[in-house]
Amino acid sequence: LLRSSQPLTGPNRRRCREDEKLLGTILDEGERGFVIDTRSAQAAKQARMSGGGTEPKSCYPRWRRLHRALDRGRPLQESFSRLVEACSDPSLSMDRWLSRLDSSRWLGHVKAALSTACLAAQCLDREEANVLVHGAEGTDTTLLVTALAQLILDPSCRTLEGFQGLLEREWIQAGHPFQLRCARSASSHARGKQEAPLFLLFLDCVWQLSRQFPFSLEFGEQLLLALFDNAYASAYGTFLCNNEKERSLCKVKESTHSLWAWLNQPEEKQKFLNPLYSHNPLVIWPSVEPQSIQLWQGLFLRWIRPSQPLEEAWAEIQRLVEGN
Amino acid sequence: MEHIRMPKVENVRLLDRLSSRRAVVGTLYLTATHVIFVENGSETRKETWVLHSQISSIEKQATTATGCPLLIRCKNFQVIQLVIPQERDCHDVYISLIRLARPVKYEELYCFSFNPKLDKEEREQGWKLVDLSEEYNRMGVPNNYWQISDVNRDYGVCDSYPTEVYVPKSATAHIIVGSSKFRSRRRFPALSYYCKGNNASICRSSQPLSGFSARCLEDEQMLQAIRKANPGSDFIYVVDTRPKLNAMANRAAGKGYENEDNYSNIKFQFIGIENIHVMRNSLQKMLEVCELKSPSMSDFLWGLENSGWLKHIKAIMDAGIFIAKAVAEEGVSVLVHCSDGWDRTAQVCSVASLLLDPYYRTMKGFMVLIEKDWVSFGHKFNHRYGNLDGDPKEISPVIDQFIECVWQLMEQFPCAFEFNERFLIHIQHHIYSCQFGNFLCNSQKERRELKIKERTYSLWAHLWKNRADYLNPLYRSDHSQTQGTLHPQIAPCNFLYKFWSGMYNRFEKGLHPRQSVTDYLMAVKEETQQLEEELEVLQERLANLQKSQSGDNKVKSKQQDRSKQTGMYTSNNSLANTPQEYSNDLKSFPSRSPSQGDEEDSALILTQDNLKSSDPDLSANSDQESGVEDLSCRSPSGGGCLPSEDSGKDSDEAVFLAG
């Protein structure tokens, strides 16, 4: 599984021998690869006008290109805001609620993200082909797909430790611009142009997986909520800045504490573990039918729904599993 | 058997609902009570059994090159797509099924031939499991305010009511009879639930025949009697569960609702729940959404909204909450009615009772609740659920809605119910299956005339026998959620209502979480119990013996066994897994390899014998919910899959599979 940003083909269909060679070396004799472009075919074509583009078939003969349009940027932020608004409106009738849930399109984004990740996973697992994922910049939807695909495929990413490693690798070090994306969240009126809840979308997808495979993730909803909180506002330096270069310039490692260090303390760790966890060595294939994708109540209704009955239920589960 | 033109057809294909690629070939059998499809397959021979009673509609579709398609839709939301090679055979099957699915006489129904091999006494005992007079005693009646009345002992006053009803002490026979003449279908106000703590009660009736200005002294006295039976309050609520417009329209037909001016000390309230026709259409629309092929999120949400289904569920729930609040918090009695007092009234009274009294949240209590508010009070099971062929306009998912309200509550309060989702699903299944006699006919009178108790078996006994399957592991009777009244929010809480895919997409395995938390926790609970018992035994022995070491070793090894066992349990569940068709672009999909991991399935295949004594449903689709590992899970768009594809890679799985 590889990731990159878009090739700078441009309007004049530029070529780059080195890039072609690089992609060529990845494939063995007779092998094929898939390029999953997270833009629509239309958008990818248009990108050429501003210097970007796609890998032309003639130059990359053994790579087959698949387009899966995943929303990012403004549309995704709008979607998030609309959902949060709908959730916090007490006057809504049931019809209006469903209508607003639908028009927010948030669940559609979750479905699309999971489907694309599954597609990538399928290429790797079933077709045994190499996969290159990229969008435009390679810092948003690309990471969403590669991180989810690894969760689906690799049981070691589903352990608490492995998941932290996944986040470090596929989001933090891969250069997802946290500072730009997670500046203000949904309700703020001062919406930055670069604001977009890609990381939240990722966490939502992870939550969907945990709901469909309640025994297969070593961590629970509490961890996902903690990550959501810390991405936007944190006492720790882990999610600061936009990439490794900036973190190095700001001397983040020298001047702040790591979120992981805190999480991994025995007393804290307890809260984040899933009592039902049992190592599942297999690939977990989620259902992406609409009935299978549910609103993440724990996040979107976090302050609205009565939490006590559910907390009691989890406490009971804990008690049962730990045998009193 | 005379209706069966073709008892057996070979080379029939059973299609996956969404993908014609995943078809299974087998033989179709028609018996007097079931349609059975048996897969040809050397090892599996998986069987799909469908009771004729479950068949809701049959559609013969246009013949194609591959054969003649037949679509069977069931009342329990199972959808079966068959392709029969010869058009003539298909036609014969179609005609036979049409007739078999529309019985004309009760004797044609399965419950009269079903034989679980119990003797007469056991059958009788089964029927005695739920005893309503015991229940009323438990509530605290008869007492100073409420008495039992035998005025209806021969069904002379109201033929859809039971012979024994509870009425206020001051309601004489004269008042009751007079009131019944002023009520639609003679369904006079009678007690549904009595709250010992504050003497408030829930009574139920049908609409008064008040028209625009008619009055009835006895009916007014009846309501006064209800009020007087609760000294703690000087008024009662009268709740009309219909939309105001409908109730007003009824006045033109000489019926209507109570005028506050005529009835002293009542507070009248409309709670607009739509009628049976609206509900029937609502369900229809929702099922259409479920049948969409590869719907987008938007298609689904829009379809769900358009059906209005969740809105109706919430309306019923809100009504129940209002009544429960009136009784528990205000201490005011409530009289509930709709038009005829056998649909919305039943729904709302039973939801309110469930919220008020934790007993109804136990397994036994729930059975009692259904017996009381649905069976004894004359809910028209036959008309509503089509036991016999009848007027399609009478069909409506009334009890289904009540059952869904219970499920929605279970989701909001996971520790509050002694039973689990499977219990609800099986009850719904059997309301339509007519395998047991509890839900036949339209009234207690009809059931007694048919001698149901002597000729059929009780579902409650069957469920009770298998109650281990229906327990909720999170239920503890000393838990705060299980004490006293449940308080669901009314608003804001639309978003707490979820689409019940466990019911409406019950047979699409791929949709549901592949691993059952309920079953796992039940297994853990059982093992903990067993271990605790063993520990006690061992501790006793320890006390007797001098040597402590051997005792320790035994305990340790038992603990290791347990982790192995529970590990095995969950690992087996995790085998039920395969990707859907996430993309149409990938052409080289590996075809399904024939079952390697399916040794487990042989346990699922029920023979004729054990089928009859167990729930036939459990055979029908290796029901994942039954806790048996479903190794042939079927994703909605991808159809069947087998774990061998994944399990082959890990040699440890072989150990687990072999058990």
Side-chain angles (χ1 to χ4, degrees):
Chain A
L1 182 63
L2 303 132
R3 51 176 156 79
S4 70
S5 53
Q6 64 179 323
L8 299 173
T9 328
N12 299 321
R13 296 176 192 270
R14 267 201 312 249
R15 285 184 70 160
C16 172
R17 308 284 171 189
E18 290 87 345
D19 192 75
E20 290 164 32
K21 197 163 180 201
L22 183 60
L23 284 188
T25 57
I26 292 163
L27 299 177
D28 286 338
E29 195 62 48
E31 264 188 349
R32 283 174 60 212
F34 289 96
V35 174
I36 297 180
D37 190 327
T38 61
R39 304 166 293 180
S40 65
Q42 177 89 325
K45 217 168 162 187
Q46 276 173 354
R48 282 213 322 239
M49 298 307 138
S50 39
T54 57
E55 296 83 350
K57 187 106 181 102
S58 47
C59 309
Y60 300 84
R62 290 191 290 150
W63 290 87
R64 190 161 147 217
R65 194 161 17 100
L66 302 171
H67 285 276
R68 286 291 178 279
L70 293 180
D71 273 342
R72 79 204 65 216
R74 241 315 151 54
L76 196 64
Q77 181 66 15
E78 289 291 334
S79 177
F80 178 39
S81 300
R82 265 189 251 128
L83 177 59
V84 170
E85 265 176 56
C87 288
S88 47
D89 190 343
S91 64
L92 288 183
S93 68
M94 182 66 81
D95 283 347
R96 291 285 297 137
W97 157 250
L98 285 172
S99 157
R100 283 174 69 172
L101 179 62
D102 179 25
S103 66
S104 78
R105 299 251 177 284
W106 180 260
L107 294 178
H109 293 134
V110 173
K111 181 182 192 313
L114 276 173
S115 303
T116 310
C118 287
L119 176 62
Q122 225 161 21
C123 293
L124 286 156
D125 185 71
R126 300 284 153 143
E127 304 289 316
E128 292 184 350
N130 293 293
V131 175
L132 169 66
V133 183
H134 72 73
E137 304 304 304
T139 53
D140 294 284
T141 52
T142 305
L143 305 180
L144 181 58
V145 173
T146 56
L148 281 175
Q150 287 177 57
L151 264 177
I152 289 168
L153 289 166
D154 186 355
S156 66
C157 290
R158 297 180 223 135
T159 62
L160 184 58
E161 203 186 305
F163 186 62
Q164 289 173 46
L166 179 72
L167 292 170
E168 263 293 320
R169 258 191 343 268
E170 295 301 313
W171 286 91
I172 297 172
Q173 288 176 21
H176 179 70
F178 279 97
Q179 199 261 313
L180 291 171
R181 297 283 177 268
C182 302
R184 297 267 179 235
S185 190
S187 335
S188 168
H189 294 292
R191 290 183 195 158
K193 275 195 191 160
Q194 294 279 345
E195 180 88 31
L198 268 312
F199 188 58
L200 170 58
L201 184 56
F202 168 70
L203 294 174
D204 196 326
C205 293
V206 177
W207 180 80
Q208 305 289 341
L209 284 175
S210 76
R211 201 192 63 83
Q212 294 195 29
F213 298 95
F215 297 96
S216 300
L217 300 182
E218 196 185 17
F219 47 91
E221 185 179 63
Q222 291 310 312
L223 178 66
L224 301 176
L225 291 172
L227 289 168
F228 169 71
D229 289 337
N230 280 280
Y232 284 89
S234 182
Y236 303 91
T238 308
F239 288 108
L240 281 181
C241 305
N242 290 309
N243 48 50
E244 284 298 281
K245 179 177 176 194
E246 284 184 21
R247 278 175 217 118
S248 161
L249 287 173
C250 295
K251 299 202 190 312
V252 164
K253 298 220 165 106
E254 292 86 333
S255 10
T256 67
H257 292 284
S258 158
L259 180 65
W260 310 135
W262 169 70
L263 276 180
N264 290 316
Q265 291 174 93
E267 326 84 68
E268 293 302 323
K269 205 166 158 177
Q270 266 307 107
K271 296 187 224 154
F272 300 117
L273 289 173
N274 170 16
L276 299 172
Y277 175 66
S278 156
H279 174 74
N280 178 358
L282 304 172
V283 178
I284 54 175
W285 300 106
S287 159
V288 295
E289 292 301 304
Q291 293 94 321
S292 306
I293 297 185
Q294 293 186 7
L295 177 67
W296 184 7
Q297 289 192 5
L299 184 105
F300 292 103
L301 305 179
R302 194 172 177 187
W303 314 111
I304 300 168
R305 73 171 178 182
S307 55
Q308 195 191 347
L310 295 156
E311 282 167 10
E312 286 171 354
W314 272 107
E316 188 61 25
I317 293 177
Q318 197 110 22
R319 195 188 68 85
L320 280 176
V321 173
E322 284 157 21
N324 275 23
Chain B
M1 291 297 260
E2 69 265 21
H3 306 298
I4 301 173
R5 289 192 184 187
M6 278 229 69
K8 174 174 166 180
V9 185
E10 290 182 340
N11 289 318
V12 174
R13 290 182 25 243
L14 175 67
L15 302 186
D16 178 271
R17 190 172 68 73
L18 288 165
S19 161
S20 53
R21 262 196 269 161
R22 319 271 181 156
V24 189
V25 182
T27 308
L28 188 70
Y29 296 91
L30 261 60
T31 72
T33 50
H34 291 79
V35 181
I36 310 170
F37 178 83
V38 183
E39 279 179 30
N40 297 342
S42 48
E43 289 172 37
T44 46
R45 291 189 58 78
K46 181 169 158 227
E47 300 178 358
T48 304
W49 288 58
V50 179
L51 268 168
H52 296 317
S53 297
Q54 287 284 4
I55 297 177
S56 169
S57 72
I58 310 155
E59 204 184 305
K60 195 164 148 247
Q61 294 166 329
T63 309
T64 65
T66 47
C68 191
L70 199 67
L71 187 66
I72 302 175
R73 287 195 183 82
C74 298
K75 299 170 186 172
N76 61 1
F77 315 114
Q78 189 171 10
V79 179
I80 297 178
Q81 171 95 64
L82 299 168
V83 179
I84 297 176
Q86 300 291 340
E87 206 275 337
R88 240 199 72 175
D89 292 344
C90 182
H91 185 74
D92 283 344
V93 168
Y94 173 70
I95 298 291
S96 309
L97 280 180
I98 293 266
R99 177 58 186 84
L100 289 166
R102 296 185 189 159
V104 171
K105 296 191 317 259
Y106 281 110
E107 284 73 11
E108 292 176 54
L109 295 174
Y110 186 35
C111 53
F112 291 100
S113 51
F114 172 59
N115 177 13
K117 302 209 173 62
L118 298 173
D119 62 36
K120 192 161 149 255
E121 211 192 283
E122 284 168 312
R123 187 212 304 254
E124 235 182 271
Q125 279 305 106
W127 284 105
K128 292 200 176 126
L129 184 67
V130 173
D131 182 339
L132 285 182
S133 54
E134 247 178 59
E135 167 57 14
Y136 284 106
N137 288 343
R138 184 198 69 86
M139 272 193 236
V141 294
N143 61 19
N144 289 335
Y145 305 110
W146 294 90
Q147 63 183 352
I148 210 179
S149 169
D150 67 347
V151 75
N152 199 37
R153 64 188 164 280
D154 297 315
Y155 304 106
V157 178
C158 173
D159 63 1
S160 60
Y161 262 12
T163 48
E164 290 183 351
V165 283
Y166 284 78
V167 294
K169 260 279 164 59
S170 53
T172 61
H174 171 75
I175 290 177
I176 297 171
V177 173
S179 168
S180 77
K181 294 195 177 131
F182 194 64
R183 292 274 164 182
S184 174
R185 317 282 180 175
R186 317 272 292 255
R187 291 169 69 89
F188 56 88
L191 180 71
S192 165
Y193 179 72
Y194 171 73
C195 182
K196 231 186 297 201
N198 59 15
N199 295 313
S201 63
I202 302 176
C203 294
R204 54 184 291 178
S205 71
S206 57
Q207 65 184 323
L209 302 175
S210 50
F212 287 102
S213 59
R215 291 182 70 160
C216 167
L217 181 64
E218 290 84 7
D219 193 70
E220 291 167 28
Q221 286 173 330
M222 190 69 180
L223 267 63
Q224 275 184 45
I226 293 173
R227 178 179 51 83
K228 284 191 229 154
N230 178 10
S233 168
D234 56 7
F235 72 98
I236 64 170
Y237 282 112
V238 175
V239 170
D240 187 330
T241 57
R242 299 170 292 180
K244 185 166 181 185
L245 220 57
N246 297 25
M248 286 174 69
N250 264 287
R251 287 197 302 186
K255 304 178 194 172
Y257 54 93
E258 293 81 350
N259 186 337
E260 274 181 3
D261 295 333
N262 299 340
Y263 292 84
S264 57
N265 301 320
I266 69 165
K267 278 203 189 144
F268 189 82
Q269 185 93 9
F270 279 114
I271 301 186
I273 301 174
E274 301 288 348
N275 64 32
I276 57 168
H277 308 293
V278 173
M279 301 310 193
R280 183 179 56 248
N281 288 329
S282 177
L283 179 64
Q284 182 59 34
K285 287 209 194 114
M286 191 170 73
L287 294 178
E288 280 166 17
V289 176
C290 296
E291 282 195 32
L292 290 174
K293 302 200 180 211
S294 317
S296 70
M297 200 69 217
S298 223
D299 291 335
F300 177 73
L301 286 175
W302 186 86
L304 193 59
E305 181 203 334
N306 187 44
S307 75
W309 182 257
L310 288 179
K311 180 178 68 172
H312 299 312
I313 298 290
K314 181 168 189 292
I316 296 165
M317 189 81 90
D318 286 347
I321 294 171
F322 173 83
I323 293 169
K325 265 202 173 132
V327 170
E329 290 173 25
E330 296 180 58
V332 177
S333 295
V334 185
L335 171 66
V336 188
H337 70 77
C338 45
S339 298
D340 293 324
W342 47 39
D343 293 313
R344 287 165 280 193
T345 303
Q347 290 173 327
V348 160
C349 287
S350 34
V351 169
S353 302
L354 198 66
L355 292 172
L356 284 168
D357 194 334
Y359 175 65
Y360 298 126
R361 290 174 236 138
T362 63
M363 211 179 284
K364 180 89 187 298
F366 191 68
M367 298 182 195
V368 167
L369 183 65
I370 294 183
E371 269 301 316
K372 178 168 67 76
D373 275 314
W374 295 84
V375 178
S376 81
F377 270 104
H379 177 67
K380 298 197 296 174
F381 283 95
N382 177 28
H383 283 176
R384 292 288 173 264
Y385 313 117
N387 302 157
L388 301 179
D389 191 30
D391 181 1
K393 291 216 163 54
E394 291 277 345
I395 303 271
S396 191
V398 182
I399 204 170
D400 305 59
Q401 288 182 322
F402 164 64
I403 291 174
E404 176 161 345
C405 285
V406 182
W407 179 77
Q408 299 282 358
L409 281 171
M410 272 170 50
E411 290 286 296
Q412 291 185 37
F413 299 95
C415 298
F417 292 82
E418 191 189 26
F419 47 87
N420 60 28
E421 183 189 25
R422 184 182 302 134
F423 187 61
L424 294 176
I425 292 179
H426 284 190
I427 291 177
Q428 191 265 5
H429 175 95
H430 283 299
I431 286 169
Y432 290 98
S433 77
C434 302
Q435 181 174 340
F436 298 92
N438 308 62
F439 309 114
L440 254 45
C441 309
N442 286 328
S443 65
Q444 191 191 71
K445 175 169 187 249
E446 285 181 28
R447 279 185 288 275
R448 288 203 183 159
E449 281 166 4
L450 269 178
K451 299 203 197 309
I452 294 292
K453 291 194 178 169
E454 287 103 65
R455 298 162 72 191
T456 69
Y457 295 86
S458 169
L459 173 67
W460 303 137
H462 171 78
L463 292 176
W464 189 252
K465 198 167 61 141
N466 295 311
R467 61 188 175 281
D469 289 341
Y470 301 122
L471 289 171
N472 170 17
L474 300 181
Y475 175 78
R476 259 176 32 223
S477 52
D478 59 345
H479 204 277
S480 64
Q481 277 180 37
T482 63
Q483 313 290 352
T485 318
L486 273 187
H487 295 285
Q489 283 182 272
I490 303 193
C493 74
N494 293 307
F495 27 70
L496 294 178
Y497 288 85
K498 298 185 235 183
F499 172 76
W500 192 6
S501 65
M503 172 66 86
Y504 304 110
N505 289 121
R506 181 177 167 198
F507 296 95
E508 285 164 66
K509 300 300 176 213
L511 240 47
H512 310 294
R514 317 305 171 81
Q515 306 167 312
S516 167
V517 177
T518 302
D519 293 331
Y520 171 70
L521 290 175
M522 280 312 299
V524 167
K525 213 172 175 178
E526 266 173 55
E527 287 183 48
T528 308
Q529 242 177 335
Q530 276 174 27
L531 286 173
E532 282 171 356
E533 285 163 16
E534 285 185 44
L535 192 63
E536 265 180 53
V537 171
L538 290 169
Q539 278 175 340
E540 268 183 58
R541 263 209 251 156
L542 198 65
N544 296 336
L545 293 172
Q546 292 299 317
K547 304 163 208 162
S548 57
Q549 273 179 346
S550 57
D552 279 342
N553 287 341
K554 278 185 193 161
V555 173
K556 267 189 212 143
S557 62
K558 284 286 182 270
Q559 280 176 341
Q560 280 165 10
D561 278 346
R562 170 204 166 148
S563 55
K564 247 196 256 160
Q565 275 172 22
T566 50
M568 171 174 81
Y569 187 90
T570 53
S571 295
N572 274 342
N573 272 338
S574 67
L575 291 174
N577 230 312
T578 227
Q580 287 176 223
E581 282 176 27
Y582 298 112
S583 157
N584 292 321
D585 294 326
L586 301 179
K587 295 205 180 109
S588 55
F589 256 95
S591 58
R592 237 173 345 126
S593 47
S595 52
Q596 284 171 27
D598 268 2
E599 292 94 11
E600 298 281 332
D601 258 354
S602 54
L604 297 174
I605 292 167
L606 300 182
T607 58
Q608 275 277 30
D609 272 339
N610 59 16
L611 202 81
K612 294 237 166 119
S613 57
S614 69
D615 188 336
D617 164 64
L618 290 178
S619 73
N621 285 282
S622 47
D623 195 345
Q624 184 215 345
E625 294 144 344
S626 67
V628 182
E629 297 78 57
D630 174 25
L631 298 180
S632 60
C633 87
R634 306 167 105 224
S635 309
S637 59
C641 70
L642 292 161
S644 52
E645 301 175 88
D646 284 319
S647 66
K649 297 188 179 159
D650 191 337
S651 58
D652 279 344
E653 295 329 303
V655 173
F656 291 133
L657 280 174

